[in-house]
Amino acid sequence: MPKMKVAVFVEPGRIVLDEKPIPDIGPLDALIRITTTTICGTDVHILKGEYPVARGLTIGHEPVGVIEKLGSAVQGYREGQRVIAGAITPSGQSEACLCGCHSQDGAGTKHGWKPLGGWRFGNTIDGCQAEYVRVPDAMANLAPVPDGLTDEQVLMCPDIMSTGFSGAESGRIRIGDIVAVFAQGPIGLCATAGARLMGATTIIAVESVPERMEMARRMGADHVVDFTKVDPVEEVRRLTDGRGVDVSIEALGRQETFEASLRVLRPGGTLSSLGVYSGDLRIPLDGFLAGLGDHTIRTTLCPGGKERMRRLMAAIASGRVDTRPLVTHRFKLDQIEEAYDLFAHQRDGVLKVAVTP
């Protein structure tokens, strides 16, 4: 049976290069030959044992590639076509999907809902840090890459761009809003770009790494607050004349950034939470105004499906957003362990890595 190279979760602290058979596909599936993929912060949570997955699972959920083989029931695509698929691969048929909650897809359950059920790559099925990946429910998930767009131009669409933009969308940003974005890693940077696209006229980014602070300005931040030099809550309050922000986006997944995101809100404001949290969260009484501040707290898992991917690629093709500067390092799949070591330890100014065969 033909084999392929894959990045496999062995145990907490170990993701290694291994081999597996090239996947078989069913009638509704597609086999994609990966041309470019990347490593996500969630993969690092898996590496550290902070998010549990099965031992032996192939990791990764951000595929750019070419259709190698189509299932017998798949229509509207052709072998050899360049495509992406989202990190979230909904069935498109469950009650959750039909309510628009693709990330919570419960296909096969009695009631049609399953927490995080739409996230399958590198979570419940083999993922994309491999030479090939099986894409389930291909007609709901494969999005053709427009002519003229490179792999690296669309590499952020499957997860980072979709997640970051969803932070702005879940915050329901309106034209003229003041927005604070806490943390300017890749997701926070995309949240900053998304806030600008949605019409925010003042965007305050909170970060301390110089390279990320500069990138935040490139992505649309009007002010960048270094939390190692000033109290970020006090500084955001100062920048807004004590009013607070309409929307705050938490893009790190830490107790302190969650609390700060709540404390900078104006009454009636919205906290849009994108962080992946590794422990219980506490809601501070003062920031929550004892439950009487008319605040909204919304959480979001990366939206997926082919229409979401089409829209994101349209934004890139239009020139309104460019995520290529987020790719700071490049590796071959054979170097995946080296890539994880760099990315997990955030060395050398890394934002995102591109991994190619």
Side-chain angles (χ1 to χ4, degrees), residues 231-249:
D231 182 302
V233 174
E234 291 181 1
E235 184 64 8
V236 170
R237 288 283 178 184
R238 186 189 70 79
L239 290 168
T240 59
D241 293 327
R243 172 188 183 274
V245 301
D246 299 287
V247 178
S248 60
I249 301 174

Side-chain angles (χ1 to χ4, degrees), residues 5 9 22 24 77 99 107 111 115 126 147 155 172 195-196 208-209 213 220 230 259 278 280 285 305 312 344 351:
K5 298 173 185 177
F9 173 74
I22 295 174
D24 290 329
Y77 300 90
C99 287
H111 43 71
D126 279 338
D147 292 340
L155 181 58
R172 295 177 180 171
R196 180 178 63 173
S208 66
V209 178
M213 295 173 73
V230 296
E259 287 191 22
S278 300
D280 292 340
L285 184 65
L312 296 177
L351 282 172

Side-chain angles (χ1 to χ4, degrees), residues 57-63 85-89 118-128 133-136:
L57 187 74
T58 302
I59 305 303
H61 50 260
E62 298 161 277
I88 302 300
T89 52
W119 175 26
R120 294 189 271 182
F121 288 144
N123 183 24
T124 58
I125 66 173
D126 279 338
C128 311
V133 67
R134 177 182 71 87
V135 177

